[in-house]
Amino acid sequence: MDKKYFGTGAFYKQAALIALPVMCQSLIQNLVSLVDQFMVSGLGDVKMAGVNISGQILFVFMVLLNTICITGGIFMTQFFGADNKRGMRQTLCYKLIVSGVSVIVFMLVCMVFPRPVLSLMVVGNLQADAILDEGVRYMRVMGLVGVPMILANIFASSLRETGNVKTPLVISVIATLINTFMNWVLIYGNLGAPRLEVEGAAYATIIARVCEVALYIAYTSRRPQPFAVSLKDFRTIDWPLFRSILQKGGMVIFSEMTWVLSETITTALYNSRGGADVVSGMSCSFSIANLFFVAFSGMTTATSIIVGKSLGAGKLDQARQESRWLLTISLVFGLAMTGVGILTTALVPVAFASLSLASQAICRRMVFWMAIFMPAWVYQNAQFAISRAGGDTMMGVIVDVVCTVGIAIPAMFYMALCTDLGPVEMYIVVKAVDFIKIAVAWVWLKKERWVRNLTVGQAQ
């Protein structure tokens, strides 16, 4: 094999030891999400659709939260590679402060303005009012999950960025088991509990998240981490560093939020193509696809940690070589996940037997096509991870914002207003834009603006 593009067995073992625990954690969380969808689907298409449109709002918040952690992680990983504990603590302060601002907005949307926001997701839907009634009930409870959610994500991401990928996996397993059990108890009123239906699913999530945070606090109290902060760290914020993280992070947040808002707009346009069957079918397809979408989190985390650590240690040539190896294996891995994805279509009639046949048909076709796109998507995620590992956040703006705003969204509105294409066909057409994104990112990475050590000049 060409050593320029294929690494050694030891290198791929190192990547696997990082990626597999992260993938397992994501798989467990996504399996629980699938179980959640399965339990809620037993309540019928309308209640299922209400939870699903709420899930899209939660998706926006989760992407924002994960992006904040990713932007902090760019610096956390490099400071870890440079053994700079002060830098790691300052990075954690950044995560906590910026995430705290975002959770205020999230709680306002969930508790004060749920109906106006959710109504944007069902414009033109034949059963909009009934769907909104269920969605509002769910959202008002889910507003309480914001604080424990940000704390759990910050703990998990920081542990992974400093080389500990196993602890978040173990804690995630425990939390997801709690979530599943509480769903069974509260949605249908088992063990003498009240039957809360969609609100029960929300309360189960909150309980699980609180338990998750408690476990992280217990673990880090017994085993102090290099990024552990105190009030002193907040009183002595390194504002030049904070601005540097925010400047680079702001570019990532801007590009990611442009992408997630485009996904929200396109989802709303899909939902206009029918009634509750379309909303449920499209949403359920993502619940199943998430089982093989774990490839994204695994490759992204492994790439960010490996390349970022080498850059932080000043080993720039090594980082270049590792990036080529990781891009190659991401393409191979994506092809393998296509096969896995196609096999998961068999889960549709099992997991969602309570939904209408129309919903099941939409779900099955969507899962198949998402599996076909997997090689391109895994490769694209690796491209972004390499760029961001060295602080080159402009690539995301160019690729996501220009391609998404300039091509994908106009194409979606044209198809929605001027054609009779169904939701699945619309999805296939708009996702073809991702091949343009890959080409632009490939050219950009060749410029090597990402080959930078961000820890130079930072105090220890």
Side-chain angles (χ1 to χ4, degrees), residues 196-272:
L196 299 178
E197 298 190 343
V198 296
E199 291 170 308
Y203 282 120
T205 301
I206 294 167
I207 293 169
R209 284 293 189 177
V210 170
C211 291
E212 187 177 13
V213 172
L215 290 170
Y216 276 120
I217 292 173
Y219 175 81
T220 54
S221 296
R222 290 175 61 87
R223 299 187 180 185
Q225 302 298 310
F227 55 77
V229 296
S230 64
L231 289 176
K232 179 182 177 181
D233 294 297
F234 285 97
R235 290 196 300 267
T236 58
I237 292 287
D238 184 342
W239 290 112
L241 175 60
F242 190 96
R243 284 193 295 271
S244 179
I245 300 175
L246 190 60
Q247 182 180 13
K248 294 185 179 301
M251 302 293 282
V252 180
I253 292 171
F254 179 62
S255 63
E256 287 295 305
M257 293 312 295
T258 299
W259 171 78
V260 76
L261 288 174
S262 75
E263 291 290 300
T264 304
I265 291 169
T266 54
T267 299
L269 293 173
Y270 302 143
N271 292 345
S272 70

Side-chain angles (χ1 to χ4, degrees), residues 18-34:
I18 297 171
L20 289 177
V22 176
M23 289 174 61
C24 287
Q25 180 182 359
S26 296
L27 179 61
I28 291 165
Q29 291 173 333
N30 293 336
L31 278 170
V32 171
S33 177
L34 181 60

Side-chain angles (χ1 to χ4, degrees), residues 283-364:
S283 180
C284 290
S285 69
F286 285 96
S287 295
I288 292 180
N290 282 337
L291 299 181
F292 52 90
F293 281 0
V294 297
F296 303 150
S297 60
M299 278 305 307
T300 299
T301 303
T303 302
S304 299
I305 291 175
I306 292 172
V307 175
K309 188 175 180 181
S310 294
L311 291 173
K315 301 175 182 177
L316 305 187
D317 287 335
Q318 180 175 313
R320 290 186 180 94
Q321 184 65 75
E322 290 168 343
S323 70
R324 289 191 290 268
W325 292 346
L326 288 162
L327 284 173
T328 302
I329 199 62
S330 69
L331 186 59
V332 174
F333 189 40
L335 288 168
M337 296 308 289
T338 291
V340 174
I342 291 173
L343 290 175
T344 62
T345 57
L347 293 173
V348 176
V350 177
F352 302 114
S354 299
L355 295 181
S356 64
L357 293 178
S359 289
Q360 292 183 40
I362 291 171
C363 180
R364 188 163 47 247

